[in-house]
Amino acid sequence: MPQPIDKPSWRKPAGMFIILALIAAWSVVILVLSPVIGALAWPLQAIFYAVAGTVWIMPLKPLLRWMELGRFR
């Protein structure tokens, strides 16, 4: 007997747009801060951009969980 097909969830497309908005917002924040960061010594710039390049990933885990399961925890 064929198994029923699950109804598609609205959470996945919504989550995709939230992720894109998160990336865009984070990019704007970094762009606004770039003149200040550009005035720092290169080792401090490297540390800043390394941290800034990974920090935006932190909210993705609960968001991806919500997209898949419908809850944040």
Side-chain angles (χ1 to χ4, degrees):
M1 186 176 343
Q3 294 189 5
I5 298 174
D6 289 337
K7 184 178 176 183
S9 171
W10 61 271
R11 290 187 312 266
K12 289 188 180 184
M16 178 189 63
F17 286 117
I18 293 170
I19 290 171
L20 291 174
L22 174 69
I23 292 170
W26 191 246
S27 299
V28 169
V29 168
I30 300 304
L31 180 67
V32 168
L33 291 176
S34 65
V36 175
I37 302 307
L40 297 175
W42 72 266
L44 295 175
Q45 289 182 30
I47 292 169
F48 173 81
Y49 285 118
V51 171
T54 55
V55 165
W56 70 273
I57 298 171
M58 292 171 40
L60 289 184
K61 186 174 181 179
L63 180 60
L64 292 172
R65 186 177 303 121
W66 171 76
M67 287 170 59
E68 190 65 33
L69 304 174
R71 59 182 185 262
F72 285 104
R73 293 182 183 241

